[in-house]
PDB file of all heavy atoms in Angstrom:
ATOM      1  N   LEU A   1       0.347 -11.807   8.059  1.00  0.00           N
ATOM      2  CA  LEU A   1      -1.004 -11.699   8.573  1.00  0.00           C
ATOM      3  C   LEU A   1      -1.896 -10.820   7.793  1.00  0.00           C
ATOM      4  O   LEU A   1      -3.084 -10.956   7.841  1.00  0.00           O
ATOM      5  CB  LEU A   1      -0.839 -11.214  10.037  1.00  0.00           C
ATOM      6  CG  LEU A   1      -0.317 -12.142  11.084  1.00  0.00           C
ATOM      7  CD1 LEU A   1      -0.140 -11.457  12.403  1.00  0.00           C
ATOM      8  CD2 LEU A   1      -1.345 -13.364  11.252  1.00  0.00           C
ATOM      9  N   ALA A   2      -1.333  -9.880   7.006  1.00  0.00           N
ATOM     10  CA  ALA A   2      -2.156  -8.952   6.206  1.00  0.00           C
ATOM     11  C   ALA A   2      -2.855  -9.736   5.077  1.00  0.00           C
ATOM     12  O   ALA A   2      -3.745  -9.165   4.472  1.00  0.00           O
ATOM     13  CB  ALA A   2      -1.229  -7.952   5.603  1.00  0.00           C
ATOM     14  N   GLN A   3      -2.428 -10.939   4.878  1.00  0.00           N
ATOM     15  CA  GLN A   3      -3.152 -11.769   3.842  1.00  0.00           C
ATOM     16  C   GLN A   3      -3.810 -12.970   4.391  1.00  0.00           C
ATOM     17  O   GLN A   3      -4.021 -13.963   3.734  1.00  0.00           O
ATOM     18  CB  GLN A   3      -2.064 -12.247   2.748  1.00  0.00           C
ATOM     19  CG  GLN A   3      -1.357 -11.103   2.031  1.00  0.00           C
ATOM     20  CD  GLN A   3      -0.336 -11.566   1.035  1.00  0.00           C
ATOM     21  OE1 GLN A   3       0.299 -12.622   1.218  1.00  0.00           O
ATOM     22  NE2 GLN A   3      -0.338 -10.985  -0.164  1.00  0.00           N
ATOM     23  N   MET A   4      -4.280 -12.888   5.639  1.00  0.00           N
ATOM     24  CA  MET A   4      -4.810 -14.070   6.281  1.00  0.00           C
ATOM     25  C   MET A   4      -6.086 -14.561   5.664  1.00  0.00           C
ATOM     26  O   MET A   4      -6.594 -15.674   5.974  1.00  0.00           O
ATOM     27  CB  MET A   4      -5.021 -13.786   7.813  1.00  0.00           C
ATOM     28  CG  MET A   4      -6.057 -12.841   8.062  1.00  0.00           C
ATOM     29  SD  MET A   4      -6.405 -12.784   9.885  1.00  0.00           S
ATOM     30  CE  MET A   4      -4.919 -12.020  10.533  1.00  0.00           C
ATOM     31  N   GLU A   5      -6.750 -13.777   4.867  1.00  0.00           N
ATOM     32  CA  GLU A   5      -7.958 -14.162   4.254  1.00  0.00           C
ATOM     33  C   GLU A   5      -7.681 -15.128   3.031  1.00  0.00           C
ATOM     34  O   GLU A   5      -8.600 -15.769   2.534  1.00  0.00           O
ATOM     35  CB  GLU A   5      -8.797 -12.982   3.736  1.00  0.00           C
ATOM     36  CG  GLU A   5      -8.268 -12.317   2.461  1.00  0.00           C
ATOM     37  CD  GLU A   5      -7.097 -11.357   2.753  1.00  0.00           C
ATOM     38  OE1 GLU A   5      -6.615 -11.290   3.922  1.00  0.00           O
ATOM     39  OE2 GLU A   5      -6.644 -10.674   1.793  1.00  0.00           O
ATOM     40  N   ARG A   6      -6.431 -15.212   2.658  1.00  0.00           N
ATOM     41  CA  ARG A   6      -6.040 -16.055   1.534  1.00  0.00           C
ATOM     42  C   ARG A   6      -5.664 -17.499   1.953  1.00  0.00           C
ATOM     43  O   ARG A   6      -5.062 -17.586   3.019  1.00  0.00           O
ATOM     44  CB  ARG A   6      -4.929 -15.424   0.752  1.00  0.00           C
ATOM     45  CG  ARG A   6      -5.082 -14.024   0.225  1.00  0.00           C
ATOM     46  CD  ARG A   6      -6.197 -13.963  -0.871  1.00  0.00           C
ATOM     47  NE  ARG A   6      -6.358 -12.634  -1.353  1.00  0.00           N
ATOM     48  CZ  ARG A   6      -7.291 -12.314  -2.220  1.00  0.00           C
ATOM     49  NH1 ARG A   6      -8.249 -13.202  -2.662  1.00  0.00           N
ATOM     50  NH2 ARG A   6      -7.424 -10.990  -2.637  1.00  0.00           N
ATOM     51  N   TYR A   7      -5.975 -18.438   1.127  1.00  0.00           N
ATOM     52  CA  TYR A   7      -5.359 -19.779   1.358  1.00  0.00           C
ATOM     53  C   TYR A   7      -3.796 -19.737   1.164  1.00  0.00           C
ATOM     54  O   TYR A   7      -3.388 -18.943   0.320  1.00  0.00           O
ATOM     55  CB  TYR A   7      -6.008 -20.801   0.351  1.00  0.00           C
ATOM     56  CG  TYR A   7      -7.348 -21.267   0.723  1.00  0.00           C
ATOM     57  CD1 TYR A   7      -8.406 -20.742  -0.015  1.00  0.00           C
ATOM     58  CD2 TYR A   7      -7.555 -22.149   1.789  1.00  0.00           C
ATOM     59  CE1 TYR A   7      -9.769 -21.230   0.297  1.00  0.00           C
ATOM     60  CE2 TYR A   7      -8.861 -22.560   2.119  1.00  0.00           C
ATOM     61  CZ  TYR A   7      -9.936 -22.126   1.388  1.00  0.00           C
ATOM     62  OH  TYR A   7     -11.219 -22.518   1.658  1.00  0.00           O
ATOM     63  N   PRO A   8      -3.110 -20.556   1.868  1.00  0.00           N
ATOM     64  CA  PRO A   8      -1.694 -20.622   1.590  1.00  0.00           C
ATOM     65  C   PRO A   8      -1.364 -21.299   0.313  1.00  0.00           C
ATOM     66  O   PRO A   8      -2.305 -21.920  -0.314  1.00  0.00           O
ATOM     67  CB  PRO A   8      -1.145 -21.500   2.752  1.00  0.00           C
ATOM     68  CG  PRO A   8      -2.360 -22.365   3.217  1.00  0.00           C
ATOM     69  CD  PRO A   8      -3.548 -21.392   2.940  1.00  0.00           C
ATOM     70  N   ASP A   9      -0.085 -21.166  -0.208  1.00  0.00           N
ATOM     71  CA  ASP A   9       0.277 -21.885  -1.428  1.00  0.00           C
ATOM     72  C   ASP A   9       0.265 -23.314  -1.106  1.00  0.00           C
ATOM     73  O   ASP A   9       1.037 -23.817  -0.195  1.00  0.00           O
ATOM     74  CB  ASP A   9       1.727 -21.397  -1.672  1.00  0.00           C
ATOM     75  CG  ASP A   9       2.313 -22.172  -2.855  1.00  0.00           C
ATOM     76  OD1 ASP A   9       1.612 -23.021  -3.474  1.00  0.00           O
ATOM     77  OD2 ASP A   9       3.480 -21.953  -3.221  1.00  0.00           O
ATOM     78  N   GLY A  10      -0.660 -24.012  -1.712  1.00  0.00           N
ATOM     79  CA  GLY A  10      -0.866 -25.524  -1.425  1.00  0.00           C
ATOM     80  C   GLY A  10       0.419 -26.306  -1.746  1.00  0.00           C
ATOM     81  O   GLY A  10       0.595 -27.407  -1.170  1.00  0.00           O
ATOM     82  N   GLY A  11       1.237 -25.827  -2.636  1.00  0.00           N
ATOM     83  CA  GLY A  11       2.458 -26.646  -2.964  1.00  0.00           C
ATOM     84  C   GLY A  11       3.658 -26.124  -2.237  1.00  0.00           C
ATOM     85  O   GLY A  11       4.667 -26.803  -2.332  1.00  0.00           O
ATOM     86  N   GLY A  12       3.556 -25.040  -1.511  1.00  0.00           N
ATOM     87  CA  GLY A  12       4.644 -24.525  -0.704  1.00  0.00           C
ATOM     88  C   GLY A  12       5.843 -24.167  -1.566  1.00  0.00           C
ATOM     89  O   GLY A  12       7.012 -24.324  -1.230  1.00  0.00           O
ATOM     90  N   PHE A  13       5.571 -23.512  -2.758  1.00  0.00           N
ATOM     91  CA  PHE A  13       6.675 -23.367  -3.727  1.00  0.00           C
ATOM     92  C   PHE A  13       7.828 -22.531  -3.158  1.00  0.00           C
ATOM     93  O   PHE A  13       9.023 -23.012  -3.266  1.00  0.00           O
ATOM     94  CB  PHE A  13       6.114 -22.568  -4.953  1.00  0.00           C
ATOM     95  CG  PHE A  13       7.218 -22.212  -5.981  1.00  0.00           C
ATOM     96  CD1 PHE A  13       7.663 -23.080  -6.883  1.00  0.00           C
ATOM     97  CD2 PHE A  13       7.638 -20.873  -5.973  1.00  0.00           C
ATOM     98  CE1 PHE A  13       8.733 -22.774  -7.756  1.00  0.00           C
ATOM     99  CE2 PHE A  13       8.652 -20.501  -6.951  1.00  0.00           C
ATOM    100  CZ  PHE A  13       9.159 -21.405  -7.760  1.00  0.00           C
ATOM    101  N   THR A  14       7.564 -21.404  -2.540  1.00  0.00           N
ATOM    102  CA  THR A  14       8.724 -20.555  -2.094  1.00  0.00           C
ATOM    103  C   THR A  14       9.481 -21.248  -0.998  1.00  0.00           C
ATOM    104  O   THR A  14      10.736 -21.214  -0.954  1.00  0.00           O
ATOM    105  CB  THR A  14       8.079 -19.227  -1.602  1.00  0.00           C
ATOM    106  OG1 THR A  14       7.377 -18.548  -2.625  1.00  0.00           O
ATOM    107  CG2 THR A  14       9.281 -18.293  -1.085  1.00  0.00           C
ATOM    108  N   LEU A  15       8.818 -21.939  -0.047  1.00  0.00           N
ATOM    109  CA  LEU A  15       9.501 -22.586   1.001  1.00  0.00           C
ATOM    110  C   LEU A  15      10.301 -23.816   0.473  1.00  0.00           C
ATOM    111  O   LEU A  15      11.404 -24.012   0.850  1.00  0.00           O
ATOM    112  CB  LEU A  15       8.463 -23.082   2.083  1.00  0.00           C
ATOM    113  CG  LEU A  15       9.026 -23.887   3.253  1.00  0.00           C
ATOM    114  CD1 LEU A  15      10.162 -23.178   3.926  1.00  0.00           C
ATOM    115  CD2 LEU A  15       7.931 -24.188   4.244  1.00  0.00           C
ATOM    116  N   LYS A  16       9.709 -24.522  -0.434  1.00  0.00           N
ATOM    117  CA  LYS A  16      10.412 -25.699  -1.004  1.00  0.00           C
ATOM    118  C   LYS A  16      11.703 -25.183  -1.761  1.00  0.00           C
ATOM    119  O   LYS A  16      12.711 -25.811  -1.740  1.00  0.00           O
ATOM    120  CB  LYS A  16       9.518 -26.524  -1.861  1.00  0.00           C
ATOM    121  CG  LYS A  16       8.469 -27.304  -1.034  1.00  0.00           C
ATOM    122  CD  LYS A  16       7.392 -27.919  -1.897  1.00  0.00           C
ATOM    123  CE  LYS A  16       7.922 -29.106  -2.672  1.00  0.00           C
ATOM    124  NZ  LYS A  16       6.759 -29.815  -3.271  1.00  0.00           N
ATOM    125  N   ARG A  17      11.560 -24.113  -2.524  1.00  0.00           N
ATOM    126  CA  ARG A  17      12.697 -23.599  -3.282  1.00  0.00           C
ATOM    127  C   ARG A  17      13.780 -23.137  -2.330  1.00  0.00           C
ATOM    128  O   ARG A  17      15.021 -23.459  -2.510  1.00  0.00           O
ATOM    129  CB  ARG A  17      12.221 -22.421  -4.112  1.00  0.00           C
ATOM    130  CG  ARG A  17      13.299 -21.821  -4.965  1.00  0.00           C
ATOM    131  CD  ARG A  17      12.914 -20.643  -5.938  1.00  0.00           C
ATOM    132  NE  ARG A  17      12.227 -19.621  -5.136  1.00  0.00           N
ATOM    133  CZ  ARG A  17      11.605 -18.583  -5.687  1.00  0.00           C
ATOM    134  NH1 ARG A  17      11.571 -18.478  -7.011  1.00  0.00           N
ATOM    135  NH2 ARG A  17      11.080 -17.591  -4.978  1.00  0.00           N
ATOM    136  N   ALA A  18      13.415 -22.461  -1.144  1.00  0.00           N
ATOM    137  CA  ALA A  18      14.439 -22.090  -0.189  1.00  0.00           C
ATOM    138  C   ALA A  18      15.059 -23.247   0.454  1.00  0.00           C
ATOM    139  O   ALA A  18      16.335 -23.230   0.666  1.00  0.00           O
ATOM    140  CB  ALA A  18      13.678 -21.195   0.886  1.00  0.00           C
ATOM    141  N   LEU A  19      14.248 -24.267   0.783  1.00  0.00           N
ATOM    142  CA  LEU A  19      14.906 -25.516   1.437  1.00  0.00           C
ATOM    143  C   LEU A  19      15.855 -26.195   0.414  1.00  0.00           C
ATOM    144  O   LEU A  19      16.917 -26.687   0.816  1.00  0.00           O
ATOM    145  CB  LEU A  19      13.765 -26.441   1.909  1.00  0.00           C
ATOM    146  CG  LEU A  19      13.038 -26.045   3.133  1.00  0.00           C
ATOM    147  CD1 LEU A  19      11.712 -26.817   3.301  1.00  0.00           C
ATOM    148  CD2 LEU A  19      13.893 -26.288   4.356  1.00  0.00           C
ATOM    149  N   ALA A  20      15.352 -26.272  -0.839  1.00  0.00           N
ATOM    150  CA  ALA A  20      16.206 -27.059  -1.806  1.00  0.00           C
ATOM    151  C   ALA A  20      17.570 -26.292  -2.018  1.00  0.00           C
ATOM    152  O   ALA A  20      18.630 -26.909  -2.037  1.00  0.00           O
ATOM    153  CB  ALA A  20      15.442 -27.065  -3.145  1.00  0.00           C
ATOM    154  N   GLY A  21      17.509 -24.985  -1.975  1.00  0.00           N
ATOM    155  CA  GLY A  21      18.770 -24.180  -2.173  1.00  0.00           C
ATOM    156  C   GLY A  21      19.629 -24.324  -1.007  1.00  0.00           C
ATOM    157  O   GLY A  21      20.841 -24.470  -1.150  1.00  0.00           O
ATOM    158  N   ARG A  22      19.090 -24.425   0.160  1.00  0.00           N
ATOM    159  CA  ARG A  22      19.832 -24.513   1.450  1.00  0.00           C
ATOM    160  C   ARG A  22      20.440 -25.884   1.527  1.00  0.00           C
ATOM    161  O   ARG A  22      21.588 -26.103   2.014  1.00  0.00           O
ATOM    162  CB  ARG A  22      19.004 -24.229   2.720  1.00  0.00           C
ATOM    163  CG  ARG A  22      19.658 -24.472   4.023  1.00  0.00           C
ATOM    164  CD  ARG A  22      20.970 -23.744   4.065  1.00  0.00           C
ATOM    165  NE  ARG A  22      20.783 -22.249   4.028  1.00  0.00           N
ATOM    166  CZ  ARG A  22      20.747 -21.449   5.100  1.00  0.00           C
ATOM    167  NH1 ARG A  22      20.853 -21.956   6.318  1.00  0.00           N
ATOM    168  NH2 ARG A  22      20.586 -20.193   4.927  1.00  0.00           N
ATOM    169  N   LEU A  23      19.636 -26.972   1.178  1.00  0.00           N
ATOM    170  CA  LEU A  23      20.132 -28.383   1.360  1.00  0.00           C
ATOM    171  C   LEU A  23      20.834 -29.002   0.163  1.00  0.00           C
ATOM    172  O   LEU A  23      21.382 -30.061   0.294  1.00  0.00           O
ATOM    173  CB  LEU A  23      18.852 -29.184   1.705  1.00  0.00           C
ATOM    174  CG  LEU A  23      18.121 -28.759   2.987  1.00  0.00           C
ATOM    175  CD1 LEU A  23      16.787 -29.612   3.053  1.00  0.00           C
ATOM    176  CD2 LEU A  23      18.953 -28.926   4.226  1.00  0.00           C
ATOM    177  N   GLY A  24      20.821 -28.279  -0.944  1.00  0.00           N
ATOM    178  CA  GLY A  24      21.415 -28.871  -2.137  1.00  0.00           C
ATOM    179  C   GLY A  24      20.646 -30.065  -2.777  1.00  0.00           C
ATOM    180  O   GLY A  24      21.304 -30.948  -3.182  1.00  0.00           O
ATOM    181  N   VAL A  25      19.363 -29.944  -2.680  1.00  0.00           N
ATOM    182  CA  VAL A  25      18.540 -30.998  -3.293  1.00  0.00           C
ATOM    183  C   VAL A  25      17.570 -30.380  -4.293  1.00  0.00           C
ATOM    184  O   VAL A  25      17.429 -29.163  -4.345  1.00  0.00           O
ATOM    185  CB  VAL A  25      17.750 -31.815  -2.155  1.00  0.00           C
ATOM    186  CG1 VAL A  25      18.770 -32.457  -1.221  1.00  0.00           C
ATOM    187  CG2 VAL A  25      16.800 -30.844  -1.396  1.00  0.00           C
ATOM    188  N   SER A  26      16.772 -31.301  -4.899  1.00  0.00           N
ATOM    189  CA  SER A  26      15.704 -30.756  -5.823  1.00  0.00           C
ATOM    190  C   SER A  26      14.463 -30.429  -5.007  1.00  0.00           C
ATOM    191  O   SER A  26      14.155 -31.138  -4.024  1.00  0.00           O
ATOM    192  CB  SER A  26      15.455 -31.769  -6.901  1.00  0.00           C
ATOM    193  OG  SER A  26      14.241 -31.553  -7.531  1.00  0.00           O
ATOM    194  N   GLU A  27      13.683 -29.495  -5.448  1.00  0.00           N
ATOM    195  CA  GLU A  27      12.373 -29.236  -4.855  1.00  0.00           C
ATOM    196  C   GLU A  27      11.507 -30.361  -4.838  1.00  0.00           C
ATOM    197  O   GLU A  27      10.615 -30.579  -3.999  1.00  0.00           O
ATOM    198  CB  GLU A  27      11.763 -27.975  -5.517  1.00  0.00           C
ATOM    199  CG  GLU A  27      12.473 -26.762  -5.335  1.00  0.00           C
ATOM    200  CD  GLU A  27      12.064 -25.673  -6.312  1.00  0.00           C
ATOM    201  OE1 GLU A  27      10.889 -25.628  -6.647  1.00  0.00           O
ATOM    202  OE2 GLU A  27      12.952 -24.839  -6.782  1.00  0.00           O
ATOM    203  N   ARG A  28      11.669 -31.235  -5.847  1.00  0.00           N
ATOM    204  CA  ARG A  28      10.857 -32.484  -6.011  1.00  0.00           C
ATOM    205  C   ARG A  28      11.159 -33.490  -4.926  1.00  0.00           C
ATOM    206  O   ARG A  28      10.455 -34.508  -4.705  1.00  0.00           O
ATOM    207  CB  ARG A  28      11.091 -33.110  -7.354  1.00  0.00           C
ATOM    208  CG  ARG A  28      10.688 -32.276  -8.522  1.00  0.00           C
ATOM    209  CD  ARG A  28      11.100 -32.884  -9.896  1.00  0.00           C
ATOM    210  NE  ARG A  28      10.680 -34.210 -10.051  1.00  0.00           N
ATOM    211  CZ  ARG A  28      11.424 -35.216 -10.142  1.00  0.00           C
ATOM    212  NH1 ARG A  28      12.758 -35.035 -10.161  1.00  0.00           N
ATOM    213  NH2 ARG A  28      10.903 -36.484 -10.337  1.00  0.00           N
ATOM    214  N   GLN A  29      12.219 -33.269  -4.116  1.00  0.00           N
ATOM    215  CA  GLN A  29      12.604 -34.182  -3.036  1.00  0.00           C
ATOM    216  C   GLN A  29      12.018 -33.787  -1.713  1.00  0.00           C
ATOM    217  O   GLN A  29      12.230 -34.499  -0.639  1.00  0.00           O
ATOM    218  CB  GLN A  29      14.073 -34.250  -2.948  1.00  0.00           C
ATOM    219  CG  GLN A  29      14.823 -34.922  -4.104  1.00  0.00           C
ATOM    220  CD  GLN A  29      16.274 -34.924  -3.902  1.00  0.00           C
ATOM    221  OE1 GLN A  29      17.025 -34.173  -4.570  1.00  0.00           O
ATOM    222  NE2 GLN A  29      16.779 -35.855  -3.134  1.00  0.00           N
ATOM    223  N   ILE A  30      11.245 -32.708  -1.645  1.00  0.00           N
ATOM    224  CA  ILE A  30      10.760 -32.179  -0.421  1.00  0.00           C
ATOM    225  C   ILE A  30       9.261 -32.370  -0.218  1.00  0.00           C
ATOM    226  O   ILE A  30       8.481 -32.155  -1.110  1.00  0.00           O
ATOM    227  CB  ILE A  30      11.121 -30.642  -0.344  1.00  0.00           C
ATOM    228  CG1 ILE A  30      12.618 -30.520  -0.252  1.00  0.00           C
ATOM    229  CG2 ILE A  30      10.517 -30.091   1.002  1.00  0.00           C
ATOM    230  CD1 ILE A  30      13.141 -29.045  -0.434  1.00  0.00           C
ATOM    231  N   THR A  31       8.888 -32.792   0.957  1.00  0.00           N
ATOM    232  CA  THR A  31       7.474 -32.887   1.356  1.00  0.00           C
ATOM    233  C   THR A  31       7.247 -32.082   2.565  1.00  0.00           C
ATOM    234  O   THR A  31       7.980 -32.294   3.559  1.00  0.00           O
ATOM    235  CB  THR A  31       7.047 -34.378   1.621  1.00  0.00           C
ATOM    236  OG1 THR A  31       7.455 -35.201   0.522  1.00  0.00           O
ATOM    237  CG2 THR A  31       5.539 -34.549   1.908  1.00  0.00           C
ATOM    238  N   LEU A  32       6.316 -31.085   2.561  1.00  0.00           N
ATOM    239  CA  LEU A  32       6.036 -30.217   3.641  1.00  0.00           C
ATOM    240  C   LEU A  32       5.024 -30.812   4.635  1.00  0.00           C
ATOM    241  O   LEU A  32       4.134 -31.587   4.204  1.00  0.00           O
ATOM    242  CB  LEU A  32       5.589 -28.928   3.148  1.00  0.00           C
ATOM    243  CG  LEU A  32       6.558 -28.203   2.305  1.00  0.00           C
ATOM    244  CD1 LEU A  32       5.897 -26.780   1.858  1.00  0.00           C
ATOM    245  CD2 LEU A  32       7.865 -27.926   2.978  1.00  0.00           C
ATOM    246  N   GLY A  33       5.080 -30.547   5.885  1.00  0.00           N
ATOM    247  CA  GLY A  33       4.166 -30.970   6.853  1.00  0.00           C
ATOM    248  C   GLY A  33       3.791 -30.018   7.924  1.00  0.00           C
ATOM    249  O   GLY A  33       4.572 -29.035   8.179  1.00  0.00           O
ATOM    250  N   ASN A  34       2.652 -30.265   8.576  1.00  0.00           N
ATOM    251  CA  ASN A  34       2.206 -29.356   9.700  1.00  0.00           C
ATOM    252  C   ASN A  34       2.988 -29.733  10.937  1.00  0.00           C
ATOM    253  O   ASN A  34       2.459 -30.445  11.861  1.00  0.00           O
ATOM    254  CB  ASN A  34       0.659 -29.577   9.853  1.00  0.00           C
ATOM    255  CG  ASN A  34       0.115 -28.589  10.826  1.00  0.00           C
ATOM    256  OD1 ASN A  34      -0.596 -29.021  11.804  1.00  0.00           O
ATOM    257  ND2 ASN A  34       0.377 -27.331  10.737  1.00  0.00           N
TER     258      ASN A  34
END
C-alpha cells in the first residue's frame, strides 16, 4: 500500500516467476487475470 501511487508491474514478472517455480512450468506459460 505504501506504493499505491505506482502502476503495478504490467507483466506480473515477480508473480509469474513465483508461480512458474511452484508449478514447474515456464513463465511464458502463465497468463494473469483479475
Side-chain angles (χ1 to χ4, degrees):
L1 288 172
Q3 297 182 323
M4 70 171 69
E5 75 280 6
R6 303 294 184 188
Y7 283 105
D9 175 3
F13 173 79
T14 302
L15 177 54
K16 288 169 73 171
R17 181 175 59 183
L19 284 166
R22 173 55 61 99
L23 301 172
V25 300
S26 164
E27 295 165 33
R28 296 172 54 244
Q29 293 178 256
I30 297 170
T31 308
L32 300 179
N34 186 234

